[in-house]
Amino acid sequence: MSANTFVGASTQVRRGLREVARLAALPQPWMWVATITILGFLMRRYHLGNESLWFDEADIVWRARQPLDVLAQGFLEAGENGPLYTLILHYWMALLDAVPPVAEALHLLFGVSYEAPVRGLSAIFGTAAIPLMYALAKRVGGHWLGIAAAILITINPFHIWHSQDAKMYTMLVMMALASTLLYMLALERGTPLLWAGYVGATWIMLTTHSMAGLVLLAQLVSTPSLLKNLKPPEGEEDAPPGNTRRRWWLGWGWAMLLILGPAFPIVWLRFAAVITDTVNVGWDAPASLTDIFGTMFVTFAVNRAPQPWETIGALAMAALATLGFPILDFRFSILSKVSRLWAKVQGLEPSIENPGALWATKIENGPLIVALWLLPISVFWLVTLKVPIFQVRYMIMALPPYLILVALGLFALRRIHPLLSMGAAGLLGVVTFVALAGVNYAPTVQKEDWRGAMVYVQDHIRLRDVMVVSPGYLKSAVEVYYKPGGPGLVPERPIRTIPSLETEGFGGNELNYALRDIATCNERAWVIISPPRQVKEDPEDLVLQWFQYNWHTFDTREFNGVTVYGISFNGQPDCWFPPPDYREPHTFENGMQFKGYIYEWRDNDDTPTQPDASFLPLTMYWNSNRKITADYVIRIKVKDPSGKVVIDEALGPLNGYWPTSQWPANTDIIDYRDPRLPGGLPAGDYTVSLQVYPQGQPDKPLKLEDGSTELVFKEPLKVVPWRP
């Protein structure tokens, strides 16, 4: 391609883009903002309730259900984050519980699952940040910069992730934007109403998250720069400059007094907590400034994504943000020279102020954007030198200024050549799509699955079971999802924890005593563990080892971020253990003795029944008059009244965890089985039977004393339809 041809094609592209921009500018700005905001809500509503609440979400939901006097204490506690959000969530959930029509409407708006309307509050805050982002970026660089920044936050995977999290982080972003906008307007116009609005918005921001104080600090640091750009209000152009500045400083002084005065005790408590290490919970490793920036570049770009897209997205956004810095003062930037040189190559007259009228960007208040981005990160890093508490979500209020810099980078490329800007925007679009499809909207579980874990426990828990949560602080997640009663008639059983292993004076003897106390008079334990947290709290796995060494595992189920272990005590330690409800002694030819069984009915009617589409809680009692050297399988069959087999399940004792070759002689062995009944079964009496055969030899069942090979239970299983 010749140079003339290339220049001609480039000119045509420019003209086409200008025409598109001209047509695009016809609608009113509010129509653009409204359209983007609606899109943002739909992106935050999509898959909103698909996943379980993870621990932090469940913990804040549990906190929000506490009495108001308990919630009020959070506003004065040094280590408490999000007290105002928790209070708002308290009333939000109370509204859901107390007003069924409102609950139905919110479920219709956000989704049918329990989690959807709970997270709806964060989705609302995340959506509300979009027009505020437009307003801030517009004040910095005009309408089109506002549109670009609003689009970037609308599709940002990190912001969408936290808009679908029942936490305070999108509220923090929204209030940081609102506070900054009101600060700029109050300085510009100086009216008491604007200053009052700024004070109110800042107080809301400060009670949303501890790190919100860094936004206020950035505002104060950039104040001298903001004052340089101020002009007298309309109608006061002829007033003496001293009068105008006096009024500015008077409003500013009162605002700071009203903000910092009441905030001082809280700030002092939190500062003292940092200095004395009382907020150092030991969960996070120390992070260098390089680590912090590197993590933030990735997270702010894509949140998480498969490689190489994660790296591509981080580098692309970082490069655009870097390009955005010089454009903060375009007249003296390197890009100005590049733009002039490129214009000469094309044979065009360069125009710095109007390189494409609708795409021109006159930047104001650039230092404020830089301060809002860099200062919170830098100060937070200094805090982490004393207390290693780095979590990238704590810095989410730095996301809007970063995205404004990225938008400025796109404009910088546009000034060099439109195709460069289009290519960069297209790359960001592809990376964002990959991140959203692979993480935010992924079909696989991304968050800790406490819902799945507790559904499993509730399906299998029995009348003499106990739940043990480790580490103990995870108890709130279990309590949020543990629902005794209900259609499944889930038994109400205790949830136990142990003190932290780092507690002074809590050693091996104390641990053994605490765990023995938990086991006493219970038949089984469901040990519920979060492996990533367990590694930090109990690196030697002492709690789980105690249960598995002293007793018998009968079940292990792994969920995302949560593992459930079923532990059988083979009786009730230190308590009398009931015999089988139905005693039917039989002896097999290998010496195995069947003593009887229990149906652990959940039905509270006078006549014990088992609903279809449920797990049949069957307990079998065994013994052996001699040592068994081989492993045997126990095959359970359930037949409907017509003789049709509806369950045929073959497993070793205790689901294969306690092979018969490990049974001690002359010892009672308790075997738990939970075969699932299919749905849609006709009501009636069902027959339960069992066979015993050597492992791997189902065609060689053992004979009973009467010569038969199938032991049929005398007590039928009474099945009824499931009652939702």
Side-chain angles (χ1 to χ4, degrees):
M1 179 183 293
S2 66
N4 291 335
T5 304
F6 179 79
V7 170
S10 177
T11 302
Q12 292 299 320
V13 170
R14 282 180 176 276
R15 289 174 179 173
L17 288 173
R18 288 177 183 176
E19 183 62 20
V20 170
R22 185 186 67 80
L23 294 174
L26 293 179
Q28 295 296 321
W30 69 266
M31 293 180 63
W32 283 98
V33 178
T35 301
I36 296 170
T37 303
I38 292 171
L39 173 64
F41 172 76
L42 294 176
M43 294 183 73
R44 283 149 182 78
R45 193 258 185 225
Y46 184 62
H47 280 198
L48 185 61
N50 279 26
E51 294 205 32
S52 163
L53 301 173
W54 68 292
F55 166 67
D56 273 19
E57 289 182 282
D59 186 61
I60 206 168
V61 167
W62 178 83
R63 288 169 180 264
R65 294 196 179 279
Q66 303 306 303
L68 289 178
D69 59 333
V70 175
L71 295 177
Q73 295 175 7
F75 287 87
L76 298 176
E77 293 178 359
E80 185 69 21
N81 270 334
L84 182 60
Y85 175 86
T86 308
L87 183 64
I88 296 172
L89 185 62
H90 170 87
Y91 287 107
W92 178 262
M93 293 193 301
L95 186 65
L96 284 168
D97 295 338
V99 188
V102 172
E104 292 177 8
L106 291 177
H107 276 293
L108 182 64
L109 182 63
F110 295 112
V112 297
S113 69
Y114 163 76
E115 293 82 2
V118 173
R119 290 179 175 139
L121 197 60
S122 294
I124 291 172
F125 292 144
T127 304
I130 295 171
L132 292 173
M133 180 72 159
Y134 166 81
L136 178 62
K138 180 185 176 183
R139 292 192 66 82
V140 172
H143 166 68
W144 285 108
L145 183 65
I147 291 294
I151 291 173
L152 287 175
I153 200 171
T154 295
I155 65 174
N156 184 260
F158 186 57
H159 193 261
I160 292 174
W161 178 270
H162 286 289
S163 296
Q164 298 184 325
D165 225 25
K167 294 283 286 180
M168 73 294 295
Y169 297 108
T170 51
M171 183 179 176
L172 174 61
V173 171
M174 180 188 73
M175 294 315 304
L177 288 167
S179 172
T180 301
L181 277 167
L182 285 168
Y183 188 55
M184 297 169 71
L185 288 170
L187 283 174
E188 180 181 317
R189 301 176 188 176
T191 64
L193 185 61
L194 284 173
W195 280 117
Y198 168 67
V199 171
T202 304
W203 256 108
I204 294 174
M205 177 185 71
L206 292 173
T207 52
T208 299
H209 196 275
S210 299
M211 296 299 168
L214 300 179
V215 177
L216 176 61
L217 181 61
Q219 293 170 356
L220 297 179
V221 168
S222 60
T223 299
S225 173
L226 293 173
L227 291 174
K228 288 181 181 179
N229 296 327
L230 292 182
K231 298 178 182 179
E234 187 176 350
E236 299 184 16
E237 292 83 359
D238 298 331
N243 292 345
T244 303
R245 290 200 170 272
R246 193 177 303 114
R247 188 175 66 181
W248 285 336
W249 284 112
L250 183 63
W252 184 89
W254 273 108
M256 292 303 114
L257 181 64
L258 292 173
I259 292 171
L260 298 178
F264 179 78
I266 301 175
V267 174
W268 175 254
L269 284 173
R270 291 181 174 173
F271 176 75
V274 171
I275 296 299
T276 59
D277 286 347
T278 55
V279 297
N280 186 1
V281 293
W283 293 340
D284 303 301
S288 67
L289 188 59
T290 303
D291 293 335
I292 291 175
F293 270 108
T295 304
M296 293 181 67
F297 282 145
V298 171
T299 309
F300 280 13
V302 296
N303 187 34
R304 283 182 288 125
Q307 290 292 2
W309 297 106
E310 190 173 273
T311 301
I312 292 172
L315 292 176
M317 270 206 171
L320 287 170
T322 303
L323 286 173
F325 271 104
I327 206 173
L328 291 174
D329 190 353
F330 182 73
R331 290 169 299 175
F332 302 102
S333 71
I334 298 174
L335 288 171
S336 173
K337 298 178 181 179
V338 174
S339 180
R340 289 174 181 273
L341 180 61
W342 184 249
K344 287 183 179 180
V345 171
Q346 295 178 303
L348 301 174
E349 288 296 325
S351 174
I352 296 174
E353 277 70 30
N354 191 15
L358 295 169
W359 299 90
T361 308
K362 183 181 179 183
I363 303 302
E364 295 181 355
N365 303 318
L368 172 64
I369 301 303
V370 176
L372 289 171
W373 158 240
L374 283 179
L375 193 141
I377 300 172
S378 303
V379 175
F380 183 59
W381 167 64
L382 294 176
V383 172
T384 63
L385 295 179
K386 178 66 178 177
V387 183
I389 55 171
F390 174 65
Q391 292 287 342
V392 70
R393 60 182 181 270
Y394 294 169
M395 288 288 98
I396 195 172
M397 69 282 199
L399 178 63
Y402 182 66
L403 294 181
I404 290 175
L405 289 173
V406 172
L408 286 169
L410 290 171
F411 278 86
L413 289 180
R414 171 63 183 80
R415 286 171 172 174
I416 298 174
H417 196 280
L419 291 178
L420 290 175
S421 181
M422 292 172 61
L427 179 61
L428 290 183
V430 171
V431 171
T432 298
F433 174 80
V434 171
L436 291 175
V439 178
N440 294 62
Y441 307 140
T444 55
V445 177
Q446 301 293 310
K447 298 184 178 183
E448 292 172 353
D449 192 8
W450 289 96
R451 177 176 63 191
M454 291 313 301
V455 166
Y456 185 83
V457 171
Q458 290 182 159
D459 280 340
H460 296 83
I461 198 167
R462 301 197 182 183
L463 300 175
R464 293 179 289 274
D465 290 358
V466 63
M467 287 171 281
V468 184
V469 186
S470 182
Y473 62 82
L474 298 172
K475 182 181 179 183
S476 56
V478 172
E479 290 182 331
V480 165
Y481 279 109
Y482 179 52
K483 306 293 183 185
L489 297 173
V490 177
E492 185 168 0
R493 300 303 301 149
I495 305 171
R496 300 289 300 274
T497 64
I498 60 170
S500 170
L501 300 184
E502 296 181 357
T503 303
E504 185 176 354
F506 190 80
N509 291 335
E510 289 77 13
L511 175 63
N512 182 70
Y513 177 81
L515 293 174
R516 186 75 191 190
D517 178 65
I518 289 173
T520 296
C521 291
N522 289 303
E523 185 176 348
R524 308 187 308 177
W526 293 96
V527 183
I528 306 167
I529 286 175
S530 172
R533 293 180 171 85
Q534 181 77 353
V535 168
K536 298 178 180 179
E537 179 80 8
D538 181 10
E540 298 181 15
D541 235 3
L542 297 177
V543 174
L544 183 60
Q545 284 185 17
W546 186 90
F547 281 104
Q548 293 186 326
Y549 179 80
N550 291 292
W551 312 108
H552 308 281
T553 302
F554 69 87
D555 199 359
T556 302
R557 288 287 183 268
E558 293 185 359
F559 303 85
N560 195 53
V562 185
T563 304
V564 175
Y565 299 91
I567 306 294
S568 167
F569 302 142
N570 201 43
Q572 291 180 247
D574 303 321
C575 281
W576 171 79
F577 189 71
D581 289 346
Y582 307 104
R583 301 191 185 193
E584 296 184 18
H586 295 277
T587 302
F588 288 86
E589 60 182 290
N590 68 339
M592 286 178 61
Q593 297 175 345
F594 182 77
K595 301 179 67 175
Y597 53 94
I598 293 176
Y599 298 131
E600 287 247 6
W601 310 106
R602 285 188 178 181
D603 204 312
N604 55 9
D605 293 341
D606 294 335
T607 304
T609 57
Q610 182 69 29
D612 68 340
S614 67
F615 290 93
L616 167 62
L618 175 64
T619 304
M620 297 176 290
Y621 291 72
W622 299 88
N623 203 316
S624 177
N625 57 15
R626 61 178 181 267
K627 177 66 176 176
I628 301 174
T629 58
D631 291 330
Y632 291 87
V633 173
I634 301 167
R635 183 178 188 180
I636 301 293
K637 286 186 179 181
V638 178
K639 300 177 183 178
D640 67 12
S642 68
K644 178 184 176 182
V645 176
V646 297
I647 290 177
D648 188 349
E649 180 183 274
L651 292 170
L654 278 186
N655 297 321
Y657 281 92
W658 200 1
T660 54
S661 61
Q662 297 179 12
W663 286 7
N666 299 310
T667 301
D668 286 342
I669 306 295
I670 304 172
D671 182 16
Y672 303 98
R673 295 288 282 272
D674 291 282
R676 187 175 182 86
L677 290 167
L681 296 178
D685 290 349
Y686 284 60
T687 302
V688 182
S689 65
L690 66 81
Q691 288 181 320
V692 178
Y693 60 82
Q695 188 170 335
Q697 303 180 53
D699 57 335
K700 296 181 179 180
L702 298 180
K703 293 181 180 181
L704 293 157
E705 65 273 359
D706 61 0
S708 65
T709 59
E710 187 170 19
L711 193 163
V712 180
F713 294 1
K714 293 179 181 179
E715 181 66 25
L717 175 66
K718 300 181 183 298
V719 175
V720 296
W722 174 265
R723 294 175 306 204

